[in-house]
Amino acid sequence: MTLQLRVYVPDHPLIKHWLAIARDENTPSVLFKTAMTELGRWLTYEAARHWLPTIDMTIKTPLAQCPATLVNPTVPIAVIPILRAGLALLDGAQTLLPLASIYHLGVVRNEESLEASCYLNKLPEQFTPQTRILILDPMLATGGSIMLTMAEIINRGGDPALTQIVSVVAAPPALRLLSEKYPSLNIYTAIIDEGLNSKGYIVPGLGDAGDRAFGT
Ligand code: PRP
Ligand code: URA
């Protein structure tokens, strides 16, 4: 069986709405952060659909026994926000995954060379084999940052088949790199944009996500 990267762009009015707010150059930082929180929430909701482990059991209502399905609390869930911009998605994701462990990863790209480097790594030394991993990074542009992130996760035993990415705007160069190296990945994004400008920014994109989220 050949695997193929799956990129989901959920057709949902709330996702479209908050993407429009985030894209608008007139949106102030505080509202931009709200838009990111909401996109983190709704895209994580979509991503959880076939990824969150469940357990079937029988429970007793006040009237009778019935079958029930619960989120399985014994399977570890790891959420990895890619600093800085990925932090803006975290509040929304965390409301849906309250039991997840949060592992921060600081990745920055050099604005001249566009090369990504890691300045903070709070990943565990080893992921347990069943760990469900959710990466939060709103912008997938050249792909340098997400490829570095994936390499760090794989080095620690993370399974790409149990890994999903929540982004807001994805561009073809990043999707191409991910598809070549990690075809079993699932990506949830609000939009796939057409490409990058000469400085590596996504067009039309939404500008610098980190600067806009934190007012810098
Ligand atoms: C942004 C964004 C991604 C990265 C994507 O981070 O949050 O992590 O760029 O670009 P790439 O696909 O070309 O690597 P940035 O380096 O601007 O850091 P920040 O989040 O601290 O602003
Ligand atoms: N990082 C951003 O924040 N925006 C882009 O358009 C590309 C990378």
Side-chain angles (χ1 to χ4, degrees), residues 64-203:
Q65 284 205 331
C66 69
T69 301
L70 288 99
V71 174
N72 188 337
T74 66
V75 178
I77 297 171
V79 173
I80 303 175
I82 310 307
L83 311 190
R84 293 171 300 162
L87 274 182
L89 299 171
L90 181 61
D91 286 352
Q94 219 175 358
T95 56
L96 304 186
L97 304 171
L99 297 183
S101 299
I102 314 299
Y103 299 107
H104 296 83
L105 195 67
V107 176
V108 68
R109 65 176 198 173
N110 180 301
E111 290 304 329
E112 301 286 309
S113 67
L114 297 183
E115 206 175 306
S117 60
C118 181
Y119 58 87
L120 176 84
N121 189 335
K122 291 294 198 180
L123 297 184
E125 267 178 31
Q126 195 67 28
F127 287 105
T128 52
Q130 295 309 313
T131 305
R132 304 307 198 260
I133 297 173
L134 187 73
I135 302 169
L136 305 176
D137 190 343
M139 310 303 283
L140 305 178
T142 65
S145 303
I146 195 68
M147 293 302 279
L148 182 59
T149 299
M150 284 302 299
E152 295 291 347
I153 290 170
I154 303 297
N155 271 343
R156 288 160 178 76
D159 181 350
L162 300 178
T163 300
Q164 313 215 81
I165 300 170
V166 161
S167 90
V168 173
V169 185
L175 296 178
R176 216 169 292 126
L177 287 176
L178 287 167
S179 152
E180 281 163 14
K181 190 134 191 210
Y182 304 108
S184 62
L185 271 178
N186 288 340
I187 300 175
Y188 290 79
T189 187
I191 197 87
I192 300 173
D193 269 357
E194 56 207 45
L196 309 179
N197 69 11
S198 60
K199 292 186 169 154
Y201 276 83
I202 303 176
V203 182

Side-chain angles (χ1 to χ4, degrees), residues 10-21 39 190:
D11 185 14
H12 195 295
L14 288 172
I15 291 174
K16 290 178 183 174
H17 173 83
W18 289 114
L19 171 66
I21 300 295
L39 288 163

